[in-house]
């Protein structure tokens, strides 16, 4: 029984994240999307809303669930009995940051392995921050996020 965590801030979840999650679900027996509290990031959506948006987005994916967590990812992975962490790897700018995190996580818990799934070309430059920026300026985001996320972004920026 191989269980994997797909961690992230998911502020909010995008179609790029969903691509990584669904591909991880094709490989692992169980996938838990781990939504980080991310105190140092000033997130648009609070943790419970980010988790709810992910839960709605993954509801039709078999053996995929979503939970929030606070603290170290490796501690959460061990607590969840998930010794695989899956991250998406986009354009070259991701590499340094992801490499640093994977190396640090490996130092913290040798039993937790990080796996990377390469983004397909259409999601190479897609990020939550770009989607938030587009949404804040009334840009068309329907190609980049599920419909319920588009509605939540529109509501957030309408206030
Ligand atoms: O989607 P993101 O913002 O790139 O995800 C980053 C995330 C949440 C995976 C990373 O910040 C994380 O693991 N946070 C939990 C705290 C932690 O373990 N920090 C040490 C990592 S070296």
């Amino acid at each position: 029984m191989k269980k994997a965590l797909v961690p992230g801030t998911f502020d909010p979840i995008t179609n790029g994240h969903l691509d990584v999650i669904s591909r991880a679900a094709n490989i692992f027996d169980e996938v838990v999307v781990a939504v980080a509290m991310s105190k140092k990031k000033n997130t648009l959506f609070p943790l419970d809303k980010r988790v709810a948006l992910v839960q709605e987005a993954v509801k039709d994916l078999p053996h995929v669930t979503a939970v929030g967590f606070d603290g170290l990812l490796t501690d959460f992975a061990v607590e969840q009995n998930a010794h695989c962490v899956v991250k998406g790897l986009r354009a070259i700018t991701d590499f340094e940051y992801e490499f640093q995190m994977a190396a640090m996580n490996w130092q913290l818990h040798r039993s937790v392995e990080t796996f990377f799934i390469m983004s397909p070309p259409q999601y190479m430059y897609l990020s939550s921050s770009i989607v938030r920026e587009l949404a804040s300026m009334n840009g068309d985001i329907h190609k980049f996020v599920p419909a319920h996320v588009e509605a939540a972004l529109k509501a957030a920026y309408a206030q």
Side-chain angles (χ1 to χ4, degrees):
M1 191 65 184
K2 282 275 173 234
K3 183 175 178 180
L5 290 190
V6 179
T9 306
F10 302 105
D11 186 40
I13 186 163
T14 68
N15 291 343
H17 292 129
L18 276 172
D19 174 74
V20 173
I21 294 163
S22 58
R23 287 162 69 192
N26 287 338
I27 297 164
F28 293 93
D29 301 307
E30 192 182 342
V31 169
V32 176
V33 183
V35 184
M37 174 69 106
S38 293
K39 282 192 198 95
K40 69 176 183 204
K41 286 191 184 174
N42 197 8
T43 60
L44 173 66
F45 295 109
L47 180 63
D48 58 346
K49 180 69 179 175
R50 285 182 279 130
V51 172
L53 291 173
V54 175
Q55 279 169 340
E56 174 68 19
V58 301
K59 70 177 195 297
D60 294 330
L61 293 176
H63 57 258
V64 179
T65 54
V67 286
F69 78 101
D70 196 5
L72 286 176
L73 173 64
T74 45
D75 289 346
F76 187 65
V78 170
E79 188 188 306
Q80 289 278 316
N81 201 23
H83 291 264
C84 305
V85 167
V86 177
K87 294 225 68 186
L89 202 55
R90 294 168 303 183
I92 197 155
T93 45
D94 269 353
F95 189 79
E96 175 99 37
Y97 170 68
E98 295 295 348
F99 191 83
Q100 190 182 20
M101 275 201 295
M104 183 53 74
N105 286 338
W106 189 77
Q107 297 276 341
L108 292 172
H109 269 287
R110 297 281 158 104
S111 67
V112 178
E113 289 286 357
T114 303
F115 295 80
F116 291 101
I117 291 182
M118 289 290 292
S119 284
Q122 70 266 37
Y123 299 135
M124 238 353 140
Y125 293 95
L126 179 59
S127 67
S128 297
S129 57
I130 272 199
V131 166
R132 288 196 307 273
E133 185 167 337
L134 273 175
S136 74
M137 295 174 191
N138 262 322
D140 185 2
I141 53 170
H142 88 275
K143 275 194 286 198
F144 308 126
V145 290
H148 70 285
V149 175
E150 183 181 6
L153 279 163
K154 282 188 176 152
Y157 286 114
Q159 286 165 10

